[in-house]
């Protein structure tokens, strides 16, 4: 798929949980349960749970990635982000991260925090390209395999004039791999298989 391919980032629904769970299980040795995803789905006042699909197929398209974040006052946390292994390298992770940062900034967050496996250089490069800086390390944070996490912090910038936000399952943000960044992102869990 070329860099011009477009993807739709939309709010997740209960119907997306099986696809999200499938991506989660092939991405992480210590996968979240269906109940954990359901819990975040039911926190719409504080949590963002989005999925990425090919825009050409809109709402009917298979889910190729997802992200979950939370905003509390002026801080946001990226809990989880993953792209299906067969779709990695297409810019979907960047699109999900940018949409998540955009939403967090639009709800009043000034900064975002996240953890990433110390060995995940691809994810670290993506976060660094969005202005994230390592603020510390959590020893033995990840299981399966056991590994340290780097704690990253990014500042969320000004929202571009006239920019869109994510509202409901039938609407979303369109993006192309290579689009400029909107801001920067964090919280304990994982967010590295992008």
């Amino acid at each position: 798929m070329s860099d011009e391919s477009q993807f739709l980032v939309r709010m997740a629904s209960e119907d997306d949980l099986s696809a999200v769970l499938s991506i989660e299980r092939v991405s992480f040795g210590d996968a979240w349960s269906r109940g954990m995803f359901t819990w975040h789905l039911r926190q719409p006042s504080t949590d963002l749970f989005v999925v990425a699909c090919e825009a050409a197929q809109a709402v009917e398209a298979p889910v190729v990635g997802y992200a979950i974040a939370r905003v509390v006052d002026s801080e946001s946390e990226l809990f989880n982000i993953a792209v299906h292994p067969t779709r990695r390298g297409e810019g979907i992770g960047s699109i999900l991260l940018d949409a998540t940062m955009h939403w967090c900034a639009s709800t009043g967050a000034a900064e975002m925090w996240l953890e990433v496996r110390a060995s995940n250089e691809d994810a670290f490069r993506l976060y660094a390209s969005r202005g994230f800086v390592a603020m510390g390390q959590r020893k033995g944070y990840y299981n399966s395999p056991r590994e340290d996490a780097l704690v990253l912090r990014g500042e969320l910038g000004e929202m571009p004039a006239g920019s869109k936000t994510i509202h409901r399952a039938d609407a979303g943000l369109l993006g192309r791999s290579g689009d400029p960044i909107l801001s920067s992102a964090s919280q304990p869990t994982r967010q590295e298989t992008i």
Side-chain angles (χ1 to χ4, degrees), residues 24-165:
E24 175 78 3
R25 288 178 178 154
V26 298
S27 298
F28 304 110
D30 55 347
W32 281 16
S33 68
R34 178 179 285 270
M36 294 169 79
F37 285 107
T38 301
W39 190 87
H40 285 285
L41 194 61
R42 294 180 179 161
Q43 308 301 316
S45 64
T46 58
D47 290 11
L48 173 73
F49 186 170
V50 293
V51 294
C53 306
E54 289 190 47
Q57 298 177 16
V59 177
E60 306 300 317
V63 172
V64 296
Y66 60 87
I68 299 174
R70 171 173 291 158
V71 173
V72 177
D73 295 325
S74 65
E75 291 187 356
S76 60
E77 304 170 8
L78 181 63
F79 286 118
N80 199 343
I81 185 170
V83 172
H84 194 281
T86 63
R87 303 305 300 269
R88 293 181 189 154
E90 297 180 37
I92 299 166
S94 298
I95 292 165
L96 280 164
L97 180 60
D98 290 345
T100 302
M101 294 184 307
H102 179 276
W103 181 84
C104 290
S106 73
T107 60
E111 62 186 9
M112 185 176 266
W113 292 85
L114 62 87
E115 286 83 14
V116 62
R117 277 188 187 269
S119 65
N120 193 334
E121 295 177 12
D122 290 339
F124 185 81
R125 274 193 296 277
L126 171 61
Y127 297 132
S129 76
R130 292 343 193 226
F132 285 91
V133 177
M135 301 299 289
Q137 188 172 21
R138 296 186 195 273
K139 296 284 186 188
Y141 181 78
Y142 291 102
N143 295 309
S144 300
R146 175 70 79 194
E147 187 174 351
D148 295 348
L150 297 176
V151 178
L152 306 182
R153 177 190 174 276
E155 292 186 21
L156 298 175
E158 292 282 321
M159 297 291 293
S163 57
K164 299 177 184 176
T165 190

Side-chain angles (χ1 to χ4, degrees), residues 161-179:
S163 57
K164 299 177 184 176
T165 190
I166 306 162
H167 291 292
R168 54 188 196 278
D170 62 342
L173 263 181
L174 291 176
R176 284 180 285 143
S177 56
D179 280 352

